[in-house]
Amino acid sequence: MNEAEIVETDSGDVPRREGWYVLNAKKARWQHDQHFGANLNFQGDVHFGQVGVNLGVLEPGQPACLYHAEGDQEGFLVLSGQCLLVVEGAERLLEPWDYFHCPAETAHVLVGAGTGPCLVLALGARREGSA
């Protein structure tokens, strides 16, 4: 397998073409959404077909997404800050190094909490043909 090219753009570094690569999260192209925070999926031209990997930054009161359930397993590790986990109608405050294991079909959402931003690493299995 060849090394993929990392291209510098005005909005951050982006991997191009198939292959292995090292991408620095601070220099990468982040997506920003006024409702759902900042997100980095580490993908470029090539979609990750087996495992999704994302970093998300949430401000207090900002949800990562809508309350939902996925058809595939997910996992969330809080790296810094605090967030409120709403899972199957229950609420839990998550802090750094708390890990939320989310089996398929489990309704959930993470919402920024505390006094500053929250950084969350999200991992998810992908079935063939899923986004």
Side-chain angles (χ1 to χ4, degrees):
M1 179 62 70
N2 292 324
E3 183 175 2
E5 179 183 14
I6 301 294
V7 177
E8 292 182 30
T9 72
D10 291 340
S11 58
D13 292 357
V14 178
R16 298 286 187 223
R17 296 190 302 276
E18 184 73 43
W20 67 267
Y21 56 86
V22 175
L23 181 65
N24 183 287
K26 288 183 178 181
K27 295 171 59 177
R29 179 183 61 194
W30 285 74
Q31 298 173 353
H32 299 272
D33 184 287
Q34 67 182 25
H35 301 291
F36 299 123
N39 181 284
L40 171 62
N41 67 16
F42 294 96
Q43 298 177 125
D45 291 344
V46 179
H47 173 76
F48 292 170
Q50 296 177 330
V51 178
V53 179
N54 293 276
L55 278 178
V57 177
L58 302 171
E59 295 297 331
Q62 190 172 49
C65 56
L66 298 176
Y67 187 69
H68 72 290
E70 293 284 346
D72 296 314
Q73 173 182 322
E74 296 179 290
F76 302 89
L77 177 64
V78 178
L79 299 174
S80 66
Q82 296 179 320
C83 64
L84 179 67
L85 166 65
V86 181
V87 55
E88 296 293 326
E91 294 184 0
R92 298 276 173 92
L93 183 64
L94 302 182
E95 297 181 324
W97 303 113
D98 284 341
Y99 177 76
F100 165 49
H101 167 67
C102 186
E105 306 304 334
T106 302
H108 66 282
V109 66
L110 297 173
V111 180
T115 59
C118 178
L119 178 62
V120 178
L121 174 66
L123 304 149
R126 292 193 170 151
R127 292 184 212 164
E128 189 172 327
S130 69

Short mmCIF file of all heavy atoms in Angstrom, two decimals, residues 32-63:
data_model
loop_
_atom_site.label_atom_id
_atom_site.label_comp_id
_atom_site.label_asym_id
_atom_site.label_seq_id
_atom_site.Cartn_x
_atom_site.Cartn_y
_atom_site.Cartn_z
N HIS A 32 -17.18 23.14 10.56
CA HIS A 32 -17.78 23.91 11.65
C HIS A 32 -19.26 24.09 11.37
O HIS A 32 -19.65 24.45 10.26
CB HIS A 32 -17.09 25.27 11.78
CG HIS A 32 -15.63 25.15 12.10
ND1 HIS A 32 -15.17 25.07 13.39
CD2 HIS A 32 -14.54 25.06 11.30
CE1 HIS A 32 -13.85 24.94 13.38
NE2 HIS A 32 -13.45 24.94 12.12
N ASP A 33 -20.09 23.84 12.38
CA ASP A 33 -21.53 23.99 12.26
C ASP A 33 -22.03 24.75 13.48
O ASP A 33 -21.72 24.38 14.61
CB ASP A 33 -22.19 22.60 12.20
CG ASP A 33 -23.67 22.66 11.98
OD1 ASP A 33 -24.41 23.04 12.92
OD2 ASP A 33 -24.12 22.33 10.86
N GLN A 34 -22.79 25.81 13.26
CA GLN A 34 -23.23 26.64 14.38
C GLN A 34 -24.13 25.88 15.35
O GLN A 34 -24.20 26.21 16.53
CB GLN A 34 -23.93 27.89 13.89
CG GLN A 34 -25.26 27.65 13.20
CD GLN A 34 -25.89 28.93 12.69
OE1 GLN A 34 -25.21 29.90 12.43
NE2 GLN A 34 -27.19 28.91 12.56
N HIS A 35 -24.80 24.84 14.88
CA HIS A 35 -25.70 24.07 15.75
C HIS A 35 -25.01 22.87 16.40
O HIS A 35 -25.31 22.54 17.54
CB HIS A 35 -26.92 23.58 14.97
CG HIS A 35 -27.72 24.68 14.38
ND1 HIS A 35 -28.46 25.57 15.13
CD2 HIS A 35 -27.87 25.07 13.09
CE1 HIS A 35 -29.04 26.44 14.34
NE2 HIS A 35 -28.70 26.17 13.10
N PHE A 36 -24.11 22.20 15.65
CA PHE A 36 -23.55 20.93 16.11
C PHE A 36 -22.04 20.95 16.36
O PHE A 36 -21.41 19.90 16.45
CB PHE A 36 -23.89 19.82 15.11
CG PHE A 36 -25.36 19.60 14.93
CD1 PHE A 36 -25.95 19.70 13.68
CD2 PHE A 36 -26.18 19.31 16.01
CE1 PHE A 36 -27.31 19.50 13.50
CE2 PHE A 36 -27.53 19.10 15.86
CZ PHE A 36 -28.11 19.20 14.60
N GLY A 37 -21.44 22.11 16.47
CA GLY A 37 -20.03 22.20 16.85
C GLY A 37 -19.06 21.96 15.71
O GLY A 37 -19.42 21.95 14.54
N ALA A 38 -17.81 21.74 16.08
CA ALA A 38 -16.74 21.49 15.11
C ALA A 38 -16.46 19.99 15.06
O ALA A 38 -16.55 19.30 16.07
CB ALA A 38 -15.48 22.25 15.51
N ASN A 39 -16.11 19.50 13.86
CA ASN A 39 -15.94 18.08 13.66
C ASN A 39 -14.78 17.82 12.70
O ASN A 39 -14.64 18.50 11.70
CB ASN A 39 -17.23 17.49 13.10
CG ASN A 39 -17.14 16.00 12.90
OD1 ASN A 39 -16.52 15.54 11.95
ND2 ASN A 39 -17.76 15.25 13.77
N LEU A 40 -14.00 16.81 13.01
CA LEU A 40 -12.93 16.35 12.13
C LEU A 40 -13.12 14.86 11.94
O LEU A 40 -13.11 14.09 12.90
CB LEU A 40 -11.56 16.63 12.76
CG LEU A 40 -10.36 16.01 12.05
CD1 LEU A 40 -10.21 16.55 10.63
CD2 LEU A 40 -9.09 16.24 12.86
N ASN A 41 -13.31 14.42 10.67
CA ASN A 41 -13.52 12.99 10.42
C ASN A 41 -12.29 12.28 9.87
O ASN A 41 -12.35 11.08 9.59
CB ASN A 41 -14.73 12.76 9.52
CG ASN A 41 -14.55 13.26 8.11
OD1 ASN A 41 -13.44 13.55 7.66
ND2 ASN A 41 -15.65 13.39 7.40
N PHE A 42 -11.19 12.98 9.69
CA PHE A 42 -9.91 12.42 9.25
C PHE A 42 -9.93 11.86 7.83
O PHE A 42 -8.96 11.29 7.39
CB PHE A 42 -9.40 11.34 10.22
CG PHE A 42 -9.04 11.87 11.57
CD1 PHE A 42 -9.94 11.83 12.62
CD2 PHE A 42 -7.79 12.43 11.81
CE1 PHE A 42 -9.61 12.33 13.86
CE2 PHE A 42 -7.45 12.93 13.05
CZ PHE A 42 -8.37 12.88 14.08
N GLN A 43 -11.03 12.00 7.12
CA GLN A 43 -11.13 11.50 5.75
C GLN A 43 -10.81 12.61 4.76
O GLN A 43 -10.94 13.77 5.06
CB GLN A 43 -12.54 10.98 5.46
CG GLN A 43 -12.94 9.83 6.33
CD GLN A 43 -14.36 9.38 6.07
OE1 GLN A 43 -14.57 8.23 5.80
NE2 GLN A 43 -15.32 10.27 6.16
N GLY A 44 -10.44 12.21 3.60
CA GLY A 44 -10.25 13.14 2.49
C GLY A 44 -11.04 12.65 1.31
O GLY A 44 -12.25 12.47 1.41
N ASP A 45 -10.35 12.36 0.22
CA ASP A 45 -11.00 11.84 -0.99
C ASP A 45 -11.58 10.45 -0.79
O ASP A 45 -12.55 10.07 -1.44
CB ASP A 45 -10.00 11.76 -2.14
CG ASP A 45 -9.55 13.11 -2.63
OD1 ASP A 45 -10.22 14.11 -2.33
OD2 ASP A 45 -8.52 13.17 -3.33
N VAL A 46 -10.97 9.67 0.08
CA VAL A 46 -11.35 8.27 0.25
C VAL A 46 -12.14 8.09 1.54
O VAL A 46 -11.69 8.49 2.62
CB VAL A 46 -10.09 7.36 0.25
CG1 VAL A 46 -10.48 5.91 0.45
CG2 VAL A 46 -9.32 7.53 -1.05
N HIS A 47 -13.31 7.50 1.42
CA HIS A 47 -14.20 7.23 2.55
C HIS A 47 -13.68 6.05 3.37
O HIS A 47 -13.23 5.05 2.80
CB HIS A 47 -15.60 6.92 1.99
CG HIS A 47 -16.58 6.46 2.99
ND1 HIS A 47 -17.19 7.32 3.86
CD2 HIS A 47 -17.09 5.23 3.25
CE1 HIS A 47 -18.03 6.63 4.62
NE2 HIS A 47 -17.98 5.37 4.27
N PHE A 48 -13.73 6.16 4.69
CA PHE A 48 -13.38 5.04 5.56
C PHE A 48 -14.53 4.04 5.53
O PHE A 48 -15.61 4.31 6.05
CB PHE A 48 -13.15 5.49 7.00
CG PHE A 48 -11.94 6.35 7.22
CD1 PHE A 48 -11.76 6.97 8.43
CD2 PHE A 48 -10.98 6.55 6.25
CE1 PHE A 48 -10.65 7.78 8.68
CE2 PHE A 48 -9.86 7.34 6.47
CZ PHE A 48 -9.70 7.95 7.69
N GLY A 49 -14.33 2.88 4.96
CA GLY A 49 -15.40 1.92 4.76
C GLY A 49 -15.71 1.02 5.94
O GLY A 49 -16.79 0.46 6.01
N GLN A 50 -14.80 0.87 6.90
CA GLN A 50 -15.01 -0.08 7.98
C GLN A 50 -15.20 0.57 9.34
O GLN A 50 -16.00 0.11 10.14
CB GLN A 50 -13.83 -1.05 8.05
CG GLN A 50 -13.72 -1.91 6.82
CD GLN A 50 -12.51 -2.82 6.87
OE1 GLN A 50 -11.49 -2.50 7.47
NE2 GLN A 50 -12.62 -3.97 6.22
N VAL A 51 -14.43 1.64 9.62
CA VAL A 51 -14.49 2.28 10.94
C VAL A 51 -14.50 3.79 10.75
O VAL A 51 -13.63 4.34 10.08
CB VAL A 51 -13.26 1.89 11.82
CG1 VAL A 51 -13.31 2.60 13.16
CG2 VAL A 51 -13.20 0.39 12.02
N GLY A 52 -15.48 4.45 11.33
CA GLY A 52 -15.52 5.91 11.33
C GLY A 52 -14.80 6.44 12.56
O GLY A 52 -14.94 5.90 13.66
N VAL A 53 -13.99 7.48 12.37
CA VAL A 53 -13.23 8.10 13.46
C VAL A 53 -13.46 9.60 13.36
O VAL A 53 -13.26 10.20 12.32
CB VAL A 53 -11.72 7.81 13.34
CG1 VAL A 53 -10.96 8.48 14.47
CG2 VAL A 53 -11.46 6.31 13.32
N ASN A 54 -13.92 10.21 14.46
CA ASN A 54 -14.20 11.64 14.47
C ASN A 54 -13.74 12.27 15.77
O ASN A 54 -13.81 11.65 16.83
CB ASN A 54 -15.71 11.89 14.37
CG ASN A 54 -16.27 11.48 13.04
OD1 ASN A 54 -16.22 12.24 12.10
ND2 ASN A 54 -16.81 10.28 12.97
N LEU A 55 -13.29 13.52 15.67
CA LEU A 55 -13.09 14.37 16.84
C LEU A 55 -14.18 15.43 16.77
O LEU A 55 -14.43 15.99 15.70
CB LEU A 55 -11.73 15.06 16.81
CG LEU A 55 -10.53 14.28 17.27
CD1 LEU A 55 -9.26 15.13 17.11
CD2 LEU A 55 -10.67 13.83 18.71
N GLY A 56 -14.80 15.71 17.90
CA GLY A 56 -15.82 16.75 17.95
C GLY A 56 -15.54 17.70 19.09
O GLY A 56 -15.09 17.28 20.17
N VAL A 57 -15.79 18.98 18.86
CA VAL A 57 -15.67 20.01 19.89
C VAL A 57 -17.06 20.61 20.09
O VAL A 57 -17.66 21.12 19.14
CB VAL A 57 -14.65 21.10 19.50
CG1 VAL A 57 -14.61 22.18 20.58
CG2 VAL A 57 -13.27 20.50 19.29
N LEU A 58 -17.55 20.55 21.32
CA LEU A 58 -18.87 21.07 21.67
C LEU A 58 -18.74 22.17 22.71
O LEU A 58 -18.04 22.01 23.70
CB LEU A 58 -19.75 19.96 22.25
CG LEU A 58 -19.99 18.75 21.36
CD1 LEU A 58 -20.68 17.65 22.15
CD2 LEU A 58 -20.79 19.15 20.15
N GLU A 59 -19.43 23.26 22.48
CA GLU A 59 -19.53 24.32 23.47
C GLU A 59 -20.67 23.97 24.43
O GLU A 59 -21.57 23.18 24.09
CB GLU A 59 -19.79 25.66 22.79
CG GLU A 59 -18.65 26.14 21.91
CD GLU A 59 -17.36 26.41 22.67
OE1 GLU A 59 -17.41 26.77 23.86
OE2 GLU A 59 -16.28 26.25 22.06
N PRO A 60 -20.68 24.53 25.65
CA PRO A 60 -21.76 24.25 26.59
C PRO A 60 -23.14 24.49 25.95
O PRO A 60 -23.36 25.50 25.30
CB PRO A 60 -21.50 25.24 27.73
CG PRO A 60 -20.02 25.44 27.70
CD PRO A 60 -19.67 25.44 26.23
N GLY A 61 -24.01 23.49 26.07
CA GLY A 61 -25.36 23.56 25.53
C GLY A 61 -25.46 23.15 24.08
O GLY A 61 -26.57 23.03 23.55
N GLN A 62 -24.36 22.88 23.42
CA GLN A 62 -24.37 22.54 21.99
C GLN A 62 -24.40 21.02 21.82
O GLN A 62 -23.50 20.32 22.29
CB GLN A 62 -23.12 23.13 21.35
CG GLN A 62 -23.08 23.08 19.85
CD GLN A 62 -21.88 23.86 19.34
OE1 GLN A 62 -20.75 23.69 19.80
NE2 GLN A 62 -22.13 24.73 18.38
N PRO A 63 -25.41 20.49 21.11
CA PRO A 63 -25.45 19.04 20.87
C PRO A 63 -24.52 18.64 19.73
O PRO A 63 -24.24 19.44 18.83
CB PRO A 63 -26.91 18.80 20.47
CG PRO A 63 -27.32 20.08 19.81
CD PRO A 63 -26.57 21.18 20.56
#
